[in-house]
Amino acid sequence: MGSRKKQMADAIKEAKKQVAFAKLNNCPTSPRKMRLVADLVRGESVEKALNILKFSQKEASNRLEKLLLSAIANWQSKNEEADVESAELFVKEIRVDGGSMLKRLRPAPQGRAHRIRKRSNHVTLVVGANNNTQA
């Protein structure tokens, strides 16, 4: 490997060290309900986001709180020498995509049937550190 290529690889590796993510697949909540909660914490600091999720009454907030704690733990395992409080972690990106659908039939009047779609979603949460304070 050439020296320039090695320097670029090291720079990319350092940049990836400041970011950690966690995924939640096939969560049995509709994406629309999950996005309501996800919009509350997008771009917030980790401490503030945890407080918002802890005191929110939506059912989806419990799942997102657990996912955020997992992302923080992933960041901590990447940066063992760094401190979480001094790194000023924030929710860099949170994406809610539709997952698989369970299709069920519900009886309707006059021998008909209505289709019920039980939706699920996939959530991807990315946590980043502020580089401004470390410099």
Side-chain angles (χ1 to χ4, degrees), residues 5-73:
K5 195 172 183 181
K6 184 164 177 45
Q7 288 173 349
M8 223 22 217
D10 289 340
I12 291 171
K13 191 174 181 183
E14 270 307 308
K16 282 189 177 183
K17 217 173 178 189
Q18 297 302 318
V19 175
F21 72 96
K23 289 177 86 170
L24 175 63
N25 286 332
N26 293 320
C27 178
T29 308
S30 72
R32 185 175 178 181
K33 291 176 185 175
M34 188 64 85
R35 280 188 196 110
L36 287 173
V37 181
D39 290 341
L40 294 173
V41 297
R42 186 174 285 121
E44 298 288 346
S45 70
V46 168
E47 294 85 15
K48 189 173 180 184
L50 282 172
N51 284 333
I52 290 170
L53 292 173
K54 190 174 205 68
F55 295 110
S56 174
Q57 293 183 352
K58 302 263 185 200
E59 183 193 342
S61 65
N62 295 333
R63 294 189 171 112
L64 276 184
E65 182 183 6
K66 198 169 176 181
L67 186 68
L68 181 57
L69 288 172
S70 175
I72 294 168

Side-chain angles (χ1 to χ4, degrees), residues 49-109:
L50 282 172
N51 284 333
I52 290 170
L53 292 173
K54 190 174 205 68
F55 295 110
S56 174
Q57 293 183 352
K58 302 263 185 200
E59 183 193 342
S61 65
N62 295 333
R63 294 189 171 112
L64 276 184
E65 182 183 6
K66 198 169 176 181
L67 186 68
L68 181 57
L69 288 172
S70 175
I72 294 168
N74 291 344
W75 186 88
Q76 221 167 6
S77 68
K78 273 185 174 181
N79 304 291
E80 291 172 353
E81 71 283 348
D83 187 31
V84 176
E85 285 81 24
S86 63
E88 291 187 19
L89 294 178
F90 68 102
V91 179
K92 191 171 188 177
E93 181 184 346
I94 183 164
R95 228 176 22 250
V96 180
D97 303 319
S100 58
M101 249 185 275
L102 294 175
K103 294 182 178 165
R104 300 288 181 255
L105 292 177
R106 165 151 291 162

